[in-house]
């Protein structure tokens, strides 16, 4: 059974640097995302930014994945392929990004509204981001994986949303996907105990309708079974005593979106 790799303070700082580059890459995407832009343009922009800043796109060629970003539209949950699709007003777009910097991985995802979206979609986005925050609150020494999972599930289901169960968060470090797995559903007090030195990606994938998903023939793309929208937010987080240390950030993205909305 693969073991958990506990990180030193120095390693956590290296992961933070990589995670911060992911956050800044997503902010570059935020600057240009909007109606009339293709998802492949977003992918190419991100890849250029990562390489120009000394990083390596972590997703490119990962188990054969052919792009630097996962871009998932509307009813797609995760692992969508960038392509010639032109974004239009009302689209919901989840962008997942990974970077390797100094051999260490960072991983984060953010869901964008294209132009004006309807109120149910806004609620889905807000609740999914809140699910992430509530999961992070439990990522402290002495808690258990199940406490994170329960916090996410309880908040999502309180709003009558479906929690994806087949896909999970994960450890992050010298590999993109390390132990432990971090599900978005579970029982409080269950699972392995959280200890200092663990670095994990917490990533709620929440559906507007049913929890069920289907896998596409491309071997990657995952979408909802009922065709309703899905949202996805993710942070790379170091487990600490008292309060989790969030290594990635949405602050760069939020600043960009605020500026766009004011113009």
């Amino acid at each position: 059974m693969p073991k958990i790799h506990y990180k030193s303070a120095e390693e956590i700082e290296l992961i933070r640097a990589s995670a911060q580059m992911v956050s800044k890459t997503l902010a570059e995407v935020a600057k240009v995302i909007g109606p009339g832009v293709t998802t492949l343009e977003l992918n190419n922009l991100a890849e250029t930014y990562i390489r120009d800043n000394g990083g390596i796109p972590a997703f490119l060629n990962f188990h054969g994945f052919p792009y630097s970003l996962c871009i998932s539209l509307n009813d797609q949950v995760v692992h969508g392929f960038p392509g010639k699709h032109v974004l239009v007003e009302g689209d919901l777009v989840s962008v997942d990004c990974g970077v390797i910097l100094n051999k260490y991985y960072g991983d984060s995802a953010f869901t964008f509204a294209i132009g004006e979206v309807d109120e149910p979609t806004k609620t889905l986005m807000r609740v999914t981001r809140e699910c992430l925050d509530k999961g992070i609150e439990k990522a402290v020494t002495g808690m258990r994986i199940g406490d994170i999972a329960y916090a996410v599930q309880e908040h999502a289901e309180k709003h009558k949303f479906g929690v994806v169960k087949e896909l999970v968060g994960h450890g992050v470090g010298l590999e993109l996907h390390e132990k432990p797995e971090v599900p978005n559903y579970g029982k409080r007090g269950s699972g392995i105990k959280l200890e200092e030195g663990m670095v994990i990606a917490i990533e709620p994938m929440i559906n507007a309708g049913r929890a069920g998903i289907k896998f596409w023939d491309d071997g990657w793309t995952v979408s909802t079974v009922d065709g309703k929208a899905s949202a996805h937010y993710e942070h790379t987080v170091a487990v600490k005593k008292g309060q989790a240390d969030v290594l990635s950030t949405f602050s760069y993205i939020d600043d960009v979106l605020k500026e766009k909305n004011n113009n």
Side-chain angles (χ1 to χ4, degrees):
M1 181 175 165
K3 65 178 185 177
I4 294 167
H5 295 285
Y6 295 90
K7 278 75 179 180
S8 66
E10 291 77 14
E11 287 179 297
I12 288 171
E13 290 312 307
L14 289 166
I15 299 169
R16 189 193 311 277
S18 188
Q20 289 287 312
M21 185 181 287
V22 173
S23 301
K24 290 175 182 175
T25 304
L26 289 172
E28 292 299 307
V29 169
K31 289 176 185 177
V32 301
I33 197 168
V37 176
T38 70
T39 52
L40 188 59
E41 287 174 310
L42 300 176
N43 176 83
N44 295 345
L45 169 94
E47 182 172 339
T48 299
Y49 180 83
I50 292 165
R51 293 192 189 282
D52 284 352
N53 286 277
I56 299 167
F59 296 171
L60 184 61
N61 299 319
F62 180 77
H63 294 310
F65 187 80
Y67 298 98
S68 296
L69 294 179
C70 297
I71 303 182
S72 307
L73 300 169
N74 300 318
D75 66 328
Q76 294 173 3
V77 180
V78 285
H79 304 160
F81 283 8
K84 295 178 181 176
H85 178 88
V86 178
L87 298 177
V88 299
E89 186 100 7
D91 275 340
L92 187 67
V93 185
S94 298
V95 182
D96 194 352
C97 180
V99 162
I100 308 167
L101 186 66
N102 298 318
K103 298 183 180 177
Y104 285 86
Y105 284 79
D107 193 5
S108 183
F110 193 89
T111 298
F112 296 91
I114 304 304
E116 272 301 309
V117 296
D118 59 27
E119 285 304 319
T121 301
K122 288 178 184 174
T123 302
L124 175 66
M125 294 171 69
R126 175 180 58 79
V127 170
T128 305
R129 187 164 170 174
E130 288 168 355
C131 285
L132 174 58
D133 292 338
K134 289 181 180 295
I136 290 169
E137 284 173 10
K138 303 298 182 184
V140 294
T141 306
M143 300 297 272
R144 291 183 179 271
I145 286 289
D147 295 312
I148 296 174
Y150 177 84
V152 172
Q153 181 180 17
E154 192 269 340
H155 190 65
E157 291 182 349
K158 185 171 73 178
H159 290 85
K160 305 291 191 287
F161 291 140
V163 179
V164 173
K165 296 180 172 64
E166 295 88 343
L167 304 162
V168 296
H170 48 88
V172 182
L174 285 167
E175 303 289 337
L176 179 58
H177 294 152
E178 297 185 354
K179 294 296 180 186
E181 292 189 342
V182 186
N184 293 306
Y185 72 101
K187 294 180 180 176
R188 284 180 289 197
S190 68
I192 63 163
K193 187 174 280 189
L194 300 174
E195 299 179 44
E196 197 134 350
M198 284 184 180
V199 178
I200 55 177
I202 302 174
E203 49 176 321
M205 291 156 270
I206 308 298
N207 298 345
R210 290 159 56 193
I213 58 171
K214 56 187 176 185
F215 293 83
W216 287 26
D217 291 340
D218 64 18
W220 286 99
T221 310
V222 179
S223 61
T224 60
V225 289
D226 56 12
K228 293 187 177 177
S230 187
H232 176 213
Y233 292 86
E234 176 183 19
H235 272 318
T236 300
V237 178
V239 173
K240 294 281 186 183
K241 289 177 184 166
Q243 186 175 10
D245 185 4
V246 184
L247 306 181
S248 48
T249 180
F250 292 151
S251 61
Y252 304 124
I253 304 168
D254 289 336
D255 287 348
V256 168
L257 295 179
K258 190 182 294 182
E259 191 172 324
K260 284 174 80 171
N261 289 334
N262 288 339
N263 288 341

